[in-house]
Amino acid sequence: MIRIFLALFVLLSNIAFSQNKLNLIPYPQKVETLKGEFTIPATLLLSHDLPKEETEYLRKRVESSLPLRYAQKGEIAHITNSIISPASAKDAEQKKEYYSIEISPKQIHIKSYTRQGYFLALQTLIQLFEDHKTDKKLPAIKIEDQPRFAWRGMHLDVCRHFFTVDEVKQYIDYLAMYKLNTFHWHLTDDQGWRIEIKKYPKLTQIGSKRKESMIGAYVDNTFDGKPYGPYFYTQEQIKDVIKYAQQRHITVVPEIEMPGHALAALSAYPELACTQGPFESATKWGVFDDVFCPKEETFRFLENVLDEVIQLFPSQYIHIGGDECPKTRWKECAHCQDLIKKNNLKDEHGLQSYFIQRIEKYVNTKGRKIIGWDEILEGGLAPNAAVMSWTGVNGGIEAAKAKHFAVMTPGAYCYFDHYQGDPQSEPNAFGGFTPLDKVYSYNPVPSELTADQAKYILGVQANLWTEYILDFKQVQYMIFPRLMALSEVGWGTSDPKNYKEFENRVISQFKVLDKMGVNYAKSIYNISGKVVPSNGGIAYELSTSQNSSGIRYTLNGTTPTINSKAYQSPVSIPNSLTIKSAYFEDGQLKSAVSTQEFIVSKTTGKKITLEQQPSENYSFGGPFTLIDGIIGNTRQLGKTWLGFNGKDVVATIDFGQKTNFSEVYFNTLDNKGSWIHLAKSAKIFVSDDNKNFKLIKEIGKEEIQNAKGKIRLNVGTQNAKYLKVFIENAGVIPAGNPGADSKAWLFVDEIGVN
């Protein structure tokens, strides 16, 4: 047990402190208000027996505005009876992140079982100092605190775009500020190998560079024509980063991708593939067929790589990827097929399990454990592996039920490469729509688990993939302020019912980020629009984190000014139009101008049901998205599309009364690099009783391809109460395409009728 306290002396004050909630993120588990307040003196006195490394961190964080010095002998001798009593080793382990802070009018007293707990206490104290920098008065309070989850992580992809050692250290600082404790460093992928392996120098000589990079939206298929790299971290640099993280009590978990996402490695050592190559580091984003071949030469290579990785990284877990591994090459490879027969494996999915289990056994011999993306469940989970559940929550549920540890990181809540505001006013992003409130709403423990099974949920992590993140300023923009929501979710004190209160605390933190020069997203200041049903049609509901009375809008496509119509309630959309909105304060424009075009048809705002629901990653607005009057933007897969993974769209629309129409339209997407394929076929039905449906139109794959997914169907003169639209998913992705043998995605935007 560490005996520590921080003593800071001032004169007693009789002024009562406000009962308002403290501006702390993550919010502590328990806060008790005491009498009085602590006045911050010109110089704070520090006890001599405080842990020096952590205390020096405190000094550096606050020294510009708050001078600190260690007390001279005798200055704080009279409070030695405040030292905490001894605790058992078991308690110390259980409470390694526990701390308490008691602020009285005379002193600040920190208790902790470990240096890690002390460091977490300092983060709370720094936030209090920052929030009361002006009035120089802290509330008299007692905080008792420790996190709910042991794994509170952030991931950073340095393969698609590279970031310097100094930038990685800044990233680690951000994690420390908000009490995250795990940094997942994604070091290898198709587009670049970023870690020096001394036994295999060509990994960095060849694999750390690519001839060019994709730019703009994926559908543009354009490239910058500029060589990228060589970029990698030397082993000395990696040691430096690990030491830096350890000083901030953050565990660095390395990721070495296998058996897929291997093109950069294969460009250096083509003999590790099923085919002869030659290969080159990928210039496009996405998934590629050429992967590691499970032959003895490959396993020796990977074991040698892991030897050097394990020697560098002291983390308990080594991340081995395991995701998005196409089986195309394995199906065509005589060695792979022989291996399947020799080991009585069911198929190529069984071969993936064989691959992962061999790697796991080797890692276990080194005293470490593996963790991998949830595709490592394919064909059976390795005996001691932990799962990082990203495709949804099912991987984590399956792992926990089998008594395997899991880290929850579902794309719908935890992918920070998704849009966080209106895609039309945000920088180009991967897709999806994950605003601050959605991150904050996440509960990492699935309701399907029993209390005993829930113990296997290690925690939560957010991921930052960098296909569309060109520099560190954009990294900052994508993680802030969403990292704050993740922090409170991981700490276990988030409460979605009180989101607005959390949002106010986030805004209070912006002054700290401003001081640090962080390029955070101000999306919460911008106008957020939501289509809602209204009297058989639709209305557009506008909101902002600020006072909604400052919103101004126009309905004729012109840019709003302070003199434009003031927003009071959802705006009725009776016909096709363009609404523009913005937030004004003190007569000045304070937000980006938000633009939304509506195309109103006879289905707009009507009742709709879906037989199968969209993927959670692409489900914003639910079924209503298909009749909300908004045509999807093919360059931005954010709010305007529903995405179905391996599922058909079967939508039934109730007009409310028999309605005349002669045209049905909808759009599907063709973006094969992202596994999104045009529909295979479509059928249109009508009914008057919602039971007996009549087929009135059918089209096949060729017609859909000729129309490039923009479907306009003349269905003759119809008069019906119900319309059913069946849009068939392409099914399994065929060989020769990214994601071959996986389920295709079907994206649909708006089902309209004229």
Side-chain angles (χ1 to χ4, degrees):
M1 184 201 71
I2 294 179
R3 296 177 171 89
I4 56 179
F5 61 89
L6 174 65
L8 313 174
F9 287 95
V10 295
L11 296 174
L12 180 64
S13 170
N14 295 318
I15 303 172
F17 184 77
S18 165
Q19 301 296 311
N20 291 340
K21 199 162 186 177
L22 303 172
N23 284 323
L24 296 175
I25 297 176
Y27 206 76
Q29 299 287 353
K30 183 180 178 182
V31 179
E32 179 185 350
T33 303
L34 307 176
K35 280 189 175 182
E37 59 187 11
F38 175 91
T39 300
I40 302 172
T43 300
L44 300 179
L45 297 180
L46 303 174
S47 169
H48 275 288
D49 53 2
L50 294 172
K52 290 296 186 287
E53 196 169 82
E54 289 78 7
T55 306
E56 285 305 306
Y57 171 89
L58 171 68
R59 286 168 63 97
K60 289 177 181 176
R61 283 286 306 275
V62 302
E63 64 184 352
S64 63
S65 57
L66 194 60
L68 308 176
R69 74 169 173 86
Y70 289 99
Q72 300 298 313
K73 187 176 180 180
E75 280 186 294
I76 53 176
H78 66 287
I79 64 163
T80 53
N81 62 338
S82 296
I83 295 174
I84 58 176
S85 58
S88 71
K90 181 180 178 183
D91 286 341
E93 175 58 29
Q94 290 175 341
K95 295 185 175 182
K96 64 183 179 182
E97 293 190 286
Y98 168 89
Y99 71 90
S100 72
I101 300 176
E102 187 165 349
I103 302 177
S104 73
K106 289 186 176 181
Q107 67 182 41
I108 297 172
H109 187 195
I110 293 175
K111 296 180 181 179
S112 170
Y113 289 82
T114 64
R115 290 172 55 183
Q116 185 176 5
Y118 174 61
F119 184 77
L120 293 171
L122 293 184
Q123 300 301 335
T124 298
L125 195 60
I126 289 166
Q127 287 192 25
L128 288 170
F129 285 151
E130 290 285 355
D131 195 46
H132 295 276
K133 188 164 53 176
T134 303
D135 62 14
K136 300 288 185 182
K137 296 179 187 300
L138 301 184
I141 51 172
K142 182 176 182 181
I143 293 173
E144 287 192 80
D145 204 13
Q146 62 182 352
R148 178 186 181 190
F149 294 105
W151 186 302
R152 306 181 306 282
M154 272 297 302
H155 151 288
L156 180 63
D157 165 21
V158 297
C159 301
R160 277 51 177 255
H161 286 98
F162 182 80
F163 305 99
T164 67
V165 167
D166 285 344
E167 289 168 340
V168 171
K169 287 180 177 180
Q170 285 182 60
Y171 197 81
I172 289 169
D173 280 334
Y174 303 150
L175 273 57
M177 285 171 59
Y178 295 100
K179 299 189 176 79
L180 302 181
N181 66 358
T182 305
F183 171 48
H184 174 175
W185 205 356
H186 184 81
L187 289 164
T188 74
D189 215 300
D190 293 301
Q191 293 80 13
W193 184 283
R194 305 294 180 215
I195 174 173
E196 178 190 22
I197 301 297
K198 293 185 183 297
K199 191 174 184 67
Y200 299 106
K202 287 193 289 186
L203 285 171
T204 47
Q205 291 169 1
I206 297 172
S208 70
K209 54 189 177 182
R210 57 179 181 259
K211 68 181 182 183
E212 61 182 355
S213 303
M214 196 171 213
I215 55 173
Y218 192 96
V219 293
D220 294 338
N221 199 33
T222 57
F223 298 85
D224 60 10
K226 300 175 182 177
Y228 192 84
Y231 295 128
F232 64 93
Y233 305 101
T234 66
Q235 293 197 2
E236 288 305 309
Q237 288 174 321
I238 286 172
K239 290 175 186 176
D240 181 39
V241 168
I242 292 169
K243 180 180 178 182
Y244 191 86
Q246 288 173 330
Q247 291 169 345
R248 286 146 182 78
H249 297 277
I250 288 173
T251 300
V252 183
V253 175
E255 181 178 358
I256 307 298
E257 273 275 12
M258 62 186 82
H261 288 292
L263 268 180
L266 298 180
S267 71
Y269 297 96
E271 62 272 20
L272 304 177
C274 292
T275 61
Q276 306 232 334
F279 307 103
E280 63 178 11
S281 295
T283 58
K284 296 182 72 169
W285 319 134
V287 178
F288 303 90
D289 285 340
D290 288 297
V291 301
F292 284 122
C293 185
K295 50 192 176 184
E296 291 307 310
E297 184 178 5
T298 302
F299 287 114
R300 281 196 303 273
F301 166 82
L302 291 172
E303 288 168 2
N304 290 334
V305 167
L306 288 169
D307 282 348
E308 295 193 32
V309 170
I310 288 169
Q311 193 171 12
L312 286 169
F313 292 86
S315 57
Q316 178 186 16
Y317 285 101
I318 304 297
H319 203 299
I320 50 82
D323 64 315
E324 298 179 327
C325 179
K327 309 302 187 289
T328 305
R329 297 290 184 256
W330 290 359
K331 284 184 176 181
E332 301 166 349
C333 172
H335 168 78
C336 292
Q337 294 305 308
D338 287 344
L339 204 57
I340 289 172
K341 291 174 186 175
K342 179 182 175 182
N343 290 278
N344 296 315
L345 305 175
K346 184 178 179 181
D347 53 19
E348 290 76 22
H349 294 289
L351 185 56
Q352 168 142 332
S353 180
Y354 166 85
F355 193 114
I356 298 299
Q357 290 193 38
R358 276 201 58 166
I359 294 297
E360 187 203 37
K361 286 177 184 176
Y362 186 78
V363 171
N364 289 166
T365 66
K366 302 294 181 178
R368 307 297 182 86
K369 299 176 183 179
I370 69 164
I371 187 168
W373 304 109
D374 48 32
E375 287 96 329
I376 69 172
L377 290 160
E378 292 178 6
L381 187 57
N384 303 305
V387 169
M388 194 164 273
S389 190
W390 76 277
T391 59
V393 299
N394 290 337
I397 292 170
E398 184 179 338
K401 286 183 175 180
K403 298 184 177 180
H404 284 260
F405 287 109
V407 175
M408 305 304 288
T409 179
Y413 297 91
C414 298
Y415 268 44
F416 288 1
D417 56 334
H418 289 181
Y419 289 101
Q420 58 191 311
D422 182 351
Q424 295 186 65
S425 57
E426 290 285 317
N428 190 35
F430 181 84
F433 182 60
T434 310
L436 183 68
D437 60 339
K438 189 170 184 181
V439 179
Y440 193 68
S441 72
Y442 183 53
N443 180 356
V445 178
S447 59
E448 294 89 338
L449 298 181
T450 66
D452 283 339
Q453 292 166 344
K455 294 175 183 176
Y456 288 93
I457 302 299
L458 279 176
V460 64
Q461 176 176 297
N463 302 321
L464 189 66
W465 303 100
T466 60
E467 289 94 334
Y468 300 96
I469 299 175
L470 307 184
D471 57 35
F472 195 67
K473 283 293 183 184
Q474 186 65 7
V475 167
Q476 296 171 333
Y477 186 91
M478 298 304 281
I479 66 171
F480 281 118
R482 290 185 286 192
L483 184 148
M484 299 181 198
L486 175 77
S487 161
E488 199 149 304
V489 167
W491 202 257
T493 52
S494 57
D495 183 358
K497 297 191 300 295
N498 293 326
Y499 169 74
K500 277 296 179 185
E501 182 277 325
F502 167 73
E503 189 176 69
N504 290 335
R505 285 186 281 126
V506 167
I507 292 171
S508 77
Q509 289 289 310
F510 284 170
K511 62 187 178 185
V512 178
L513 300 184
D514 285 333
K515 179 181 174 183
M516 295 172 63
V518 172
N519 179 43
Y520 58 91
K522 300 177 178 65
S523 309
I524 58 175
Y525 291 129
N526 291 337
I527 305 298
S528 176
K530 181 182 178 183
V531 184
V532 294
S534 176
N535 300 320
I538 58 171
Y540 199 43
E541 184 177 85
L542 302 174
S543 63
T544 174
S545 61
Q546 308 304 293
N547 189 333
S548 62
S549 65
I551 297 175
R552 299 290 185 269
Y553 70 92
T554 65
L555 298 177
N556 59 3
T558 60
T559 301
T561 68
I562 188 60
N563 298 316
S564 299
K565 192 171 181 62
Y567 178 77
Q568 295 178 323
S569 60
V571 181
S572 177
I573 310 294
N575 48 260
S576 298
L577 55 81
T578 298
I579 182 169
K580 290 193 174 186
S581 55
Y583 173 73
F584 290 82
E585 190 176 280
D586 299 327
Q588 300 296 314
L589 178 65
K590 292 291 185 179
S591 73
V593 175
S594 177
T595 302
Q596 185 57 65
E597 181 181 9
F598 288 92
I599 305 296
V600 174
S601 82
K602 293 182 179 181
T603 59
T604 306
K606 300 300 186 284
K607 184 178 179 181
I608 183 171
T609 56
L610 289 176
E611 290 187 11
Q612 300 189 86
Q613 298 307 306
S615 164
E616 198 172 15
N617 284 12
Y618 298 96
S619 61
F620 182 81
F624 193 73
T625 299
L626 297 181
I627 42 88
D628 65 0
I630 298 175
I631 303 298
N633 185 330
T634 58
R635 294 168 56 83
Q636 297 171 330
L637 308 182
K639 299 167 62 175
T640 56
W641 296 86
L642 293 188
F644 299 80
N645 187 215
K647 298 178 181 178
D648 304 322
V649 174
V650 186
T652 302
I653 298 168
D654 180 357
F655 291 110
Q657 62 185 14
K658 294 187 74 172
T659 300
N660 294 318
F661 62 93
S662 59
E663 181 189 52
V664 176
Y665 64 84
F666 62 87
N667 296 324
T668 75
L669 271 181
D670 185 12
N671 190 342
K672 293 184 179 64
S674 298
W675 303 15
I676 302 169
H677 287 245
L678 292 175
K680 189 175 182 180
S681 69
K683 297 177 182 178
I684 312 297
F685 304 84
V686 291
S687 172
D688 288 333
D689 60 6
N690 202 23
K691 295 178 182 178
N692 301 295
F693 282 88
K694 174 186 174 185
L695 176 65
I696 60 170
K697 191 74 174 181
E698 182 175 4
I699 59 171
K701 183 177 180 180
E702 186 176 347
E703 292 172 277
I704 292 172
Q705 288 180 335
N706 289 339
K708 298 182 178 179
K710 297 180 179 179
I711 310 304
R712 298 291 181 272
L713 300 176
N714 187 329
V715 295
T717 302
Q718 302 294 330
N719 180 254
K721 186 172 185 291
Y722 296 93
L723 172 76
K724 179 179 284 189
V725 178
F726 169 83
I727 308 171
E728 186 182 8
N729 189 290
V732 175
I733 299 173
N737 291 280
D741 298 325
S742 299
K743 296 175 182 177
W745 283 88
L746 171 63
F747 272 66
V748 179
D749 61 350
E750 182 81 0
I751 299 175
V753 161
N754 293 317

